[in-house]
Amino acid sequence: MEVINIKGTDDTPNVILDKASGHFEISGRSLPEDVNQFYEQILDWIDEYAKDPLDRTEFNFKLEYFNTASSKVILDILLKFEEIVEKGKEVVIKWHYHEDEEDMLEAGEEYSDIVEIPFEYVVYND
């Protein structure tokens, strides 16, 4: 599979989707002008990945901020990974949040309540 490596901007997140290395991450800020256009290739890549996933997938969300439109796409991403779990593969979501950003922790907890995927919460302070 091809690697997706998108360098983030002030409005779009860094995205790394690399099956060969097992590196799956979305980080930074997500408030793209056209959320569907930005995330389309990411959702398509995950659909393709889901056909033949690794035995264990660890997906890192290290978002500082995301808007409402992005929150819906994040849920779509999580639901795609939930389907992988239902196929008998292991998926772990690592939800990173800044120690001063309780809202981001709460967002992760809300997603965790919706999908049947184990979440690990990772606090950082830099």
Side-chain angles (χ1 to χ4, degrees):
M1 287 186 70
E2 75 176 74
V3 173
I4 290 185
N5 190 342
I6 301 169
K7 184 77 175 136
T9 67
D10 287 343
D11 296 334
T12 60
N14 292 301
V15 180
I16 301 169
L17 300 174
D18 185 347
K19 180 179 178 180
S21 72
H23 190 179
F24 308 94
E25 179 178 308
I26 297 177
S27 60
R29 296 167 49 86
S30 182
L31 49 153
E33 194 169 311
D34 185 339
V35 71
N36 294 321
Q37 180 182 352
F38 180 81
Y39 280 101
E40 181 179 20
Q41 69 174 327
I42 294 160
L43 293 168
D44 289 347
W45 190 96
I46 294 170
D47 284 340
E48 194 62 32
Y49 174 76
K51 294 176 184 174
D52 183 28
L54 298 172
D55 288 336
R56 183 178 196 279
T57 303
E58 183 178 292
F59 199 104
N60 288 279
F61 284 93
K62 298 180 180 178
L63 292 165
E64 299 165 20
Y65 174 81
F66 56 87
N67 63 7
T68 303
S70 294
S71 71
K72 293 174 183 159
V73 176
I74 292 167
L75 179 57
D76 289 343
I77 290 170
L78 291 169
L79 290 169
K80 289 177 184 297
F81 280 101
E82 184 178 53
E83 291 174 12
I84 293 172
V85 170
E86 290 168 356
K87 293 178 181 175
K89 302 292 186 177
E90 183 182 0
V91 176
V92 174
I93 303 299
K94 288 207 170 180
W95 190 269
H96 301 253
Y97 66 97
H98 192 278
E99 66 181 356
D100 295 334
E101 291 292 333
E102 289 293 313
D103 289 350
M104 195 57 70
L105 170 60
E106 289 172 11
E109 291 171 340
E110 289 173 12
Y111 284 125
S112 164
D113 289 342
I114 295 169
V115 295
E116 295 293 321
I117 305 174
F119 271 62
E120 295 178 8
Y121 300 97
V122 183
V123 65
Y124 65 90
N125 57 16
D126 52 16

